[in-house]
Amino acid sequence: MVNNNIIEISELLIQNEKQVIINNLSLTVERGEKIALVGPSGCGKTTLSLALLGFVTPGLNLVQGGVKVFGQQILAANQKINHRQKRLLRQRIGRLDQDPALSLTPTKPIGMLLHELAVGKREEQEQSLRRAFEWLQLPLDKTFLKRYPNELSGGQRRRVALAMILLRKPELILLDEPTAGLDDRTRDMTLVLLNELVDRLQATLIVITHCPEAARQLSNKILRLEKGSIMSRDKMERRQEDEPVVSVNKTGAITKSMPRNYDNCNYILHVNELSAGAPNLRRPVVEQLSFDLCPGERMAITGMSGAGKSTVARTLAGLWPRLGGDVFLEKEKMAPSLHQWPQSMRGTIGFVPQDPATSFNPVITLGTSMGRVLKRRSHTGVAGKNLKKQTCDELKRLIQIMDLPADWEGRLPNHFSGGQLQRLAIIRSLIGGAKCLILDEITSGLDEATRDCLLELLATLDTPVPMLIITHDPVVVAQLCNKSIDLNEYVVS
Amino acid sequence: MNKKTRQLQCRQKGRSLTKVLIVLVVLIVCFALFGPFFVPLVGDPHKTEAFPFDGGGPLNMGYDYLGRPVAAQLLIGGRELLIAAFLTAVLSQVTGMTCGLIMAVLRKRTKILRFLLDMMLIIPMSLSTLVIYNHAGSSLYATIPIATFFTLPFTSRYYAGNAEPLLRTGFYEQAMVAGDSVPLALIREIIPVLFRPILTDLGMSMISAVYLMSTVSFLGIANNNNSFLWPTMVMQNLSGLALNPYATLMPIFAIVWLTIPLNILIDQFSNRRRK
């Protein structure tokens, strides 16, 4: 009798020293099913998805139970699984991580990565590649294939990662937060592509997501996880109105930006016909971008994935050299590159990157990191000492407002959650003397509850420092920003 | 026995082994550094007291090819080798790290430097060391800059490779945005993260330096006054191996004791970090 079960999990118990991560979980998934695992951060979704690949995250222990995929054991407590068996099983599983860039080897060009996975003779490989690229709307020219992963936009990396899965032809696909960090339009396009991918491969799908739209569109069954246990199993029936309205071709109505009327405003940041692009690409991605920011204003920069939002953020922060246009901060003209800025201008534009985990040195405590910021501020001339005291007081006030633990100073960054690190990154920029703050997708990768908490704290933060908020999330725009600009208008085609 | 118990036992074994290795390394370092202070207790290492390769003597280790007590020579023979190897390791790390960080920061602008370092790789290290050492007046400590020079291509690439990904991290960018200069950001942000790679390479450099200096002495290029004693003892007493094996084997054992536990300890350290 043919076993129709692709996945069989029996009484899986995974825990660390302090808590249970997966709590006696049992689950059976039949061939062709599409399951969405939803739940708050820390409920065990990623741990479960890794268990399906035979991994137990370092630091966790598999106490009991096991996992079978394709009828064979891939993980079992008190039993050593043969490595060859695991490897053969994993070859039949395709996984797309939350950050698709992680699956792309940074030191190899795209063409090489894809050819490694394509099977068959050279001609068959070329054909498979052509079909995959056509379907994913990626350019199949030599210039594109010679690019390295860091030379692609986030959306292009995601599609290349999908192409890699397609070439491998897996029977089971695991998707971990496939729509994290995507604007609505790109999200819908991605969901269409993913549905088509699963249908083409006739694969079984497990998707981990906290996006209700993704769960609804990709799956026919939703499992809600909480504290490592399945709380509910809901069957989904796709309705007509659930079909995404955007087609795969990237055309769509361009939202007009808010009208600018800053004639009476003493602007802090004035951007005039900015041209911005990544340092290793010859052409700018964004051109002719102009806007002003007044004290206390919070402006959202929105746009599709690949529109150049992060490029603009990095260019304004000076990390990437400006290709054209002018930027004025408090009427002082900023040089194109950070290295050309005088010492007095450094730190005046604060930049909070998307990934909070890497924005703090992993081997230095937060107290030391913040201490350095305070020291820099005290080296500012005559008012240095008073400024240091003021800054210390401001730091204490912000720590209290941002609801951070009392013993934060002695902790290393890996002892904080993503949300806490984002808050600390914002505080660091504010006490560092930033006159303007750029927040680059600070809520992507956070679950809804954490995101809402962060937005609430930012909304109540009483500071005259204007903020430029790069986001695709309409909730962020609605809750935090009093104006927005759509970058699609300024993208170079 | 379940997996957790097995893992715990493995970890305990690993910790015990690390402790044993640390004790061995500390013992040999103390022996090499403080041995000369105990020489008066075992005899004069420079005085002929018996027939060549005679047995008996202090600590029953016999006498060397000139009738000098082996035990006394063993006590004085390690200090200079250890100090020279350590200085070489430190100098090699400093120059290698400096070069490596420059290469990581400036990248394409260091093409000429990379080319020159690559050219050095094709020069046979031991042979060149012997030639330069000979022309440098056979000075004992000339091996330090020579060894440092020849390990530069390796250490610089090692640090360039380790540092390059760190220059793209958020915390390095934050330091630049906040106003730190490149050298300051490298010292405050990058080097602390490289602490374990530095420690690992320091150990490896020291071992390489010991072997290089032993080679120079062992090949007899140096005269008796300008060589490291332990490897020289091996070369000089080889002919009397059958008569008094201690004269040859004890310095070999001392060199092995100096290098192998340190090598395994570095491996333990690196493995623990990977886990």
Side-chain angles (χ1 to χ4, degrees):
Chain A
M1 189 174 132
V2 174
N3 186 359
N4 209 29
N5 293 334
I6 291 284
I7 296 170
E8 290 170 86
I9 304 174
S10 53
E11 294 181 357
L12 192 66
L13 175 61
I14 297 177
Q15 64 186 36
N16 60 20
E17 288 162 2
K18 289 181 187 171
Q19 64 183 75
V20 172
I21 308 297
I22 304 288
N23 189 8
N24 276 314
L25 193 143
S26 294
L27 175 66
T28 305
V29 178
E30 289 183 4
R31 191 177 291 274
E33 277 196 299
K34 300 174 189 178
I35 310 268
L37 291 174
V38 300
S41 286
C43 69
K45 305 189 292 290
T46 301
T47 305
L48 186 60
S49 79
L50 289 172
L52 295 176
L53 291 163
F55 284 120
V56 177
T57 311
L60 300 181
N61 295 313
L62 173 60
V63 177
Q64 76 174 42
V67 178
K68 276 188 185 177
V69 288
F70 309 113
Q72 296 179 59
Q73 203 78 40
I74 195 168
L75 189 70
N78 306 322
Q79 188 184 337
K80 203 172 176 184
I81 310 294
N82 182 270
H83 279 297
R84 188 167 179 270
Q85 182 174 316
K86 272 192 188 179
R87 189 167 49 85
L88 289 171
L89 289 171
R90 284 172 191 157
Q91 283 174 357
R92 298 162 72 179
I93 304 173
R95 185 169 187 265
L96 187 65
D97 215 343
Q98 180 176 339
D99 183 1
L102 294 177
S103 63
L104 307 176
T105 309
T107 52
K108 289 185 180 177
I110 302 300
M112 193 186 290
L113 287 173
L114 291 166
H115 276 111
E116 277 178 355
L117 292 168
V119 293
K121 293 179 185 173
R122 184 85 185 168
E123 279 172 15
E124 284 170 25
Q125 287 182 13
E126 294 292 335
Q127 213 173 15
S128 305
L129 206 63
R130 201 175 308 122
R131 273 201 298 257
F133 269 44
E134 271 170 14
W135 175 61
L136 289 162
Q137 301 243 320
L138 288 167
L140 194 62
D141 50 88
K142 280 186 181 172
T143 322
F144 185 78
L145 290 174
K146 281 184 184 172
R147 283 202 202 170
Y148 288 86
N150 67 324
E151 293 172 346
L152 303 179
S153 71
Q156 285 173 331
R157 284 199 287 263
R158 192 174 300 274
R159 280 177 281 159
V160 169
L162 282 175
M164 286 170 70
I165 293 179
L166 186 62
L167 290 170
R168 286 182 56 207
K169 299 182 183 155
E171 294 168 55
L172 171 62
I173 297 177
L174 302 176
L175 302 175
D176 191 349
E177 299 288 1
T179 57
L182 299 181
D183 60 281
D184 285 352
R185 195 178 301 155
T186 313
R187 180 200 65 199
D188 288 342
M189 283 180 349
T190 305
L191 293 175
V192 166
L193 287 172
L194 289 171
N195 264 319
E196 280 190 31
L197 175 74
V198 173
D199 290 339
R200 268 180 195 238
L201 297 171
Q202 295 181 330
T204 308
L205 174 68
I206 306 284
V207 56
I208 294 170
T209 183
H210 57 253
C211 171
E213 192 59 33
R216 224 182 20 249
Q217 290 199 28
L218 287 175
S219 66
N220 47 28
K221 198 190 275 185
I222 294 182
L223 302 180
R224 292 180 205 285
L225 280 181
E226 205 170 305
K227 292 182 185 172
S229 301
I230 297 175
M231 304 308 287
S232 67
R233 299 165 201 244
D234 301 325
K235 266 200 175 162
M236 286 296 309
E237 281 165 15
R238 299 278 300 272
R239 300 167 297 184
Q240 195 68 27
E241 50 267 35
D242 284 340
E243 297 295 326
V245 295
V246 70
S247 67
V248 174
N249 291 323
K250 264 204 306 190
T251 55
I254 295 171
T255 343
K256 296 232 182 289
S257 60
M258 299 281 285
R260 293 181 287 120
N261 182 17
Y262 309 131
D263 296 333
N264 299 325
C265 152
N266 284 329
Y267 58 78
I268 298 289
L269 182 72
H270 171 62
V271 176
N272 185 36
E273 296 186 353
L274 175 77
S275 286
N280 45 8
L281 296 177
R282 286 178 202 164
R283 291 177 58 204
V285 174
V286 169
E287 275 186 331
Q288 305 289 318
L289 177 64
S290 300
F291 62 86
D292 297 323
L293 268 185
C294 294
E297 276 192 327
R298 288 163 191 204
M299 187 171 95
I301 290 191
T302 60
M304 287 176 59
S305 177
K309 304 188 292 293
S310 290
T311 304
V312 166
R314 289 178 159 271
T315 304
L316 289 173
L319 290 165
W320 287 356
R322 197 166 66 240
L323 301 178
D326 298 311
V327 175
F328 294 85
L329 187 72
E330 290 186 330
K331 296 188 171 56
E332 193 166 338
K333 193 171 180 180
M334 311 290 283
S337 177
L338 188 66
H339 298 293
Q340 298 164 313
W341 294 9
Q343 197 58 33
S344 54
M345 297 299 292
R346 302 285 280 270
T348 51
I349 297 187
F351 178 67
V352 180
Q354 185 169 348
D355 184 4
T358 60
S359 72
F360 286 97
N361 194 312
V363 300
I364 292 172
T365 60
L366 269 298
T368 308
S369 291
M370 292 296 187
R372 285 182 184 167
V373 176
L374 295 174
K375 224 177 189 178
R376 282 187 206 110
R377 290 222 73 194
S378 70
H379 294 155
T380 50
V382 176
K385 271 190 184 170
N386 284 337
L387 193 58
K388 190 178 175 183
K389 188 184 177 306
Q390 280 169 26
T391 314
C392 279
D393 295 338
E394 178 67 5
L395 173 62
K396 284 176 193 163
R397 185 185 78 89
L398 288 168
I399 295 283
Q400 207 169 5
I401 291 173
M402 293 289 201
D403 196 25
L404 289 161
D407 61 343
W408 65 274
E409 284 183 79
R411 291 194 194 181
L412 289 173
N414 63 346
H415 295 153
F416 292 94
S417 69
Q420 288 174 327
L421 284 174
Q422 285 290 25
R423 282 175 264 161
L424 283 161
I426 293 166
I427 292 173
R428 178 178 56 185
S429 291
L430 287 172
I431 62 163
K435 292 176 184 171
C436 172
L437 205 52
I438 302 175
L439 309 177
D440 186 3
E441 297 280 10
I442 56 167
T443 60
S444 78
L446 300 180
D447 61 278
E448 280 182 23
T450 313
R451 178 203 65 188
D452 292 342
C453 182
L454 179 64
L455 292 178
E456 203 182 309
L457 288 166
L458 284 174
T460 54
L461 193 64
D462 177 27
T463 173
V465 175
M467 294 184 196
L468 194 64
I469 299 164
I470 312 290
T471 185
H472 64 275
D473 190 344
V475 173
V476 173
V477 178
Q479 282 199 23
L480 212 53
C481 308
N482 41 28
K483 59 185 190 180
S484 74
I485 193 166
D486 190 339
L487 218 54
N488 290 319
E489 257 185 82
Y490 303 94
V491 171
V492 176
S493 55
Chain B
M1 187 190 300
N2 66 20
K3 197 176 177 184
K4 193 177 180 183
T5 317
R6 274 205 307 272
Q7 282 174 346
L8 267 166
Q9 281 189 346
C10 276
R11 258 183 239 140
Q12 277 167 355
K13 275 186 193 162
R15 279 191 211 119
S16 308
L17 178 62
T18 306
K19 284 178 191 164
V20 166
L21 290 168
I22 290 173
V23 166
L24 285 174
V25 169
V26 167
L27 276 175
I28 187 63
V29 167
C30 289
F31 180 81
L33 286 177
F34 302 114
F37 296 113
F38 297 94
V39 165
L41 300 174
V42 295
D44 189 339
H46 306 296
K47 192 179 168 190
T48 300
E49 293 176 1
F51 286 112
F53 301 117
D54 212 357
L59 301 176
N60 222 25
M61 287 189 193
Y63 299 87
D64 71 353
Y65 77 110
L66 288 178
R68 297 173 300 190
V70 168
Q73 292 191 58
L74 213 55
L75 284 171
I76 65 165
R79 184 194 271 177
E80 280 178 335
L81 179 64
L82 183 67
I83 291 173
F86 181 71
L87 286 175
T88 304
V90 169
L91 202 59
S92 162
Q93 292 309 296
V94 170
T95 47
M97 199 188 321
T98 307
C99 261
L101 290 176
I102 290 172
M103 280 157 57
V105 171
L106 297 179
R107 297 189 81 183
K108 288 176 185 168
R109 283 174 279 176
T110 55
K111 273 186 184 166
I112 296 175
L113 176 63
R114 285 175 193 262
F115 175 74
L116 291 172
L117 289 171
D118 287 345
M119 291 305 293
M120 282 165 64
L121 284 172
I122 61 175
I123 303 170
M125 195 195 300
S126 304
L127 194 61
S128 316
T129 305
L130 294 170
V131 168
I132 296 170
Y133 174 76
N134 221 6
H135 281 84
S138 301
S139 162
L140 197 61
Y141 286 93
T143 47
I144 296 173
I146 294 167
T148 304
F149 179 75
F150 281 110
T151 53
L152 193 56
F154 303 101
T155 49
S156 60
R157 278 180 178 274
Y158 175 73
Y159 284 112
N162 273 296
E164 266 170 28
L166 295 176
L167 298 179
R168 290 191 288 270
T169 53
F171 60 85
Y172 180 75
E173 284 180 347
Q174 285 297 314
M176 304 304 296
V177 166
D180 285 351
S181 61
V182 171
L184 186 61
L186 288 173
I187 292 168
R188 294 221 290 205
E189 302 293 339
I190 304 296
I191 290 178
V193 180
L194 294 176
F195 176 70
R196 281 180 193 254
I198 290 170
L199 218 56
T200 306
D201 204 49
L202 185 70
M204 295 308 299
S205 293
M206 200 160 144
I207 293 166
S208 304
V210 166
Y211 286 144
L212 191 64
M213 290 166 184
S214 301
T215 305
V216 169
S217 299
F218 181 75
L219 291 177
I221 301 297
N223 60 43
N224 285 346
N225 292 333
N226 286 340
S227 59
F228 297 106
L229 191 51
W230 280 352
T232 307
M233 283 171 72
V234 174
M235 187 268 293
Q236 289 168 342
N237 297 308
L238 211 51
S239 54
L241 187 62
L243 297 168
N244 183 17
Y246 290 114
T248 305
L249 295 178
M250 288 313 293
I252 289 176
F253 176 70
I255 294 170
V256 165
W257 187 0
L258 182 62
T259 51
I260 289 183
L262 184 61
N263 200 353
I264 301 174
L265 189 63
I266 289 166
D267 276 347
Q268 287 280 102
F269 201 59
S270 304
N271 284 341
R272 201 188 301 173
R273 177 174 181 258
R274 266 199 293 273
K275 283 173 194 166

